[in-house]
Amino acid sequence: MITAWQIDWTAAAVIVSSGVLYALALRAAANKGRNWPLWRTAAFYVLGLGSLTVLTCGFPGAYSAELRWAFTLKITLMLFVVPLLIGLGKPISLARMALSDRGIAGLDAVLSNRLVRFVSNSLAAPLLGLALFSTFLTPAFYTLRTNPVAEALLTVGIPLLGLLMALPIIEEADFHRSSAFITLEFVFVFIELLIDAVPGILLRLNGQVLDHVATRQAGPSWIPDPLRDQQLAGDVLWFICEIVDLPLIILMFMRFSRTDKREARGFDELTDSQLDELNAEHLRRGR
């Protein structure tokens, strides 16, 4: 597990380009006289891009075609853990510090896109996670593991999808949500705790190989038989989908607390006449 390494060229392109863009943003912010915390830079490069490198070029990537559980480990961590670690570097906040007014306007246009806004809220996360992991219960599981084109698409798409789900929680200033909406997101996160684990449970408890590849592939002698491999993949998926939601819930609670305090300060700053006008407007909408 320590010595198994490969070069995943798609992942290498993503990692290098992301690192270069972040470095350029750091230089542009420094040229404007704006300081950026060193620990956020370290988190982005070491924890974020470092974990993506290990998953794609280390053991999980090297054996993802032969081992169902290694592929499952790679995909789930790329979706749930890597984006959170990359998000610690706050790339959107850094981009705002580095870009010109025109660039910031373009960034705002991207963030306000309907598709981005749909994916970047916790209401969509249970559906997207279930759709992705449900393919592990079909013959498509084999194609995703062994097809180079599918592997390249997943290497680019999965971390991006994870970032769209994680950044609204980490960089809340760029994804404005009311406290009522965040409360609704809490409900869906708890639903996600149950839904995302279902494919993992089915993989673990099923008595037949669901991707229809029941023969053991050529490889080291320690590779388990297909059914045991599938059960291990179910264990990995079940465990990660359950455990990873705990830090998300904590982050959402912190986000709710800050949003609630901000809204409370906003109401406190209103005059009596402004508050009466706001209440009247609310009553008119109710009619």
Side-chain angles (χ1 to χ4, degrees), residues 156-212:
V156 176
I158 295 300
L160 179 60
L161 178 61
L163 279 172
L164 290 175
M165 293 191 294
L167 286 180
I169 301 175
I170 298 174
E171 303 216 41
E172 57 185 279
D174 290 288
F175 299 86
H176 298 290
R177 301 284 193 269
S178 66
S179 58
F181 187 87
I182 295 176
T183 303
L184 185 60
E185 285 187 320
F186 265 119
V187 176
F188 276 82
V189 166
F190 281 109
I191 294 175
E192 183 182 10
L193 278 170
L194 301 175
I195 290 180
D196 281 353
V198 171
I201 295 172
L202 294 178
L203 281 173
R204 181 64 181 86
L205 301 181
N206 210 294
Q208 59 181 351
V209 180
L210 298 177
D211 63 9
H212 299 167

Side-chain angles (χ1 to χ4, degrees), residues 2 5 7 12 27 51 68 74 88 94 103 113 139 169 204 210 236 252 257 261 273-274:
I2 297 176
W5 286 87
I7 298 179
R27 187 175 68 175
S51 61
R68 294 167 179 81
K74 180 178 77 169
L88 292 176
L94 178 60
N113 181 272
I169 301 175
R204 181 64 181 86
L210 298 177
V236 169
M252 289 188 66
S257 178
K261 290 180 180 179
S273 60
Q274 289 175 326

Side-chain angles (χ1 to χ4, degrees), residues 6-222:
Q6 67 168 7
I7 298 179
D8 186 325
W9 293 108
T10 303
V14 171
I15 293 167
V16 171
S17 60
S18 299
V20 170
L21 288 174
Y22 198 87
L24 291 175
L26 287 173
R27 187 175 68 175
N31 290 337
K32 293 182 178 181
R34 299 175 179 177
N35 296 322
W36 188 249
L38 181 60
W39 75 268
R40 291 201 179 277
T41 304
F44 181 85
Y45 283 106
V46 179
L47 299 180
L49 297 186
S51 61
L52 182 58
T53 302
V54 172
L55 290 173
T56 54
C57 300
F59 178 85
Y63 279 93
S64 61
E66 291 83 4
L67 292 171
R68 294 167 179 81
W69 71 263
F71 176 82
T72 303
L73 178 68
K74 180 178 77 169
I75 295 299
T76 50
L77 292 182
M78 283 170 58
L79 179 64
F80 290 125
V81 177
V82 170
L84 288 175
L85 297 177
I86 290 177
L88 292 176
K90 290 212 170 185
I92 294 180
S93 298
L94 178 60
R96 288 192 178 280
M97 292 177 59
L99 291 173
S100 62
D101 292 340
R102 183 176 180 180
I104 293 175
L107 178 62
D108 290 335
V110 172
L111 295 178
S112 62
N113 181 272
R114 287 187 177 182
L115 179 60
V116 173
R117 291 182 64 83
F118 171 75
V119 178
S120 63
N121 70 73
S122 296
L123 308 183
L127 302 177
L128 296 171
L130 181 62
L132 173 64
F133 298 132
S134 293
T135 61
F136 293 6
L137 305 173
T138 69
F141 193 18
Y142 177 75
T143 302
L144 293 175
R145 289 186 290 115
T146 58
N147 186 281
V149 176
E151 181 183 17
L153 292 175
L154 290 174
T155 300
V156 176
I158 295 300
L160 179 60
L161 178 61
L163 279 172
L164 290 175
M165 293 191 294
L167 286 180
I169 301 175
I170 298 174
E171 303 216 41
E172 57 185 279
D174 290 288
F175 299 86
H176 298 290
R177 301 284 193 269
S178 66
S179 58
F181 187 87
I182 295 176
T183 303
L184 185 60
E185 285 187 320
F186 265 119
V187 176
F188 276 82
V189 166
F190 281 109
I191 294 175
E192 183 182 10
L193 278 170
L194 301 175
I195 290 180
D196 281 353
V198 171
I201 295 172
L202 294 178
L203 281 173
R204 181 64 181 86
L205 301 181
N206 210 294
Q208 59 181 351
V209 180
L210 298 177
D211 63 9
H212 299 167
V213 183
T215 57
R216 185 179 180 279
Q217 299 184 43
S221 58
W222 51 262

Side-chain angles (χ1 to χ4, degrees), residues 234-255:
D235 291 336
V236 169
L237 181 57
W238 188 354
F239 173 77
I240 294 178
C241 286
E242 291 294 349
I243 200 67
V244 79
D245 281 316
L246 296 179
L248 287 177
I249 291 174
I250 294 172
L251 288 172
M252 289 188 66
F253 180 79
M254 295 171 60
R255 178 189 178 199

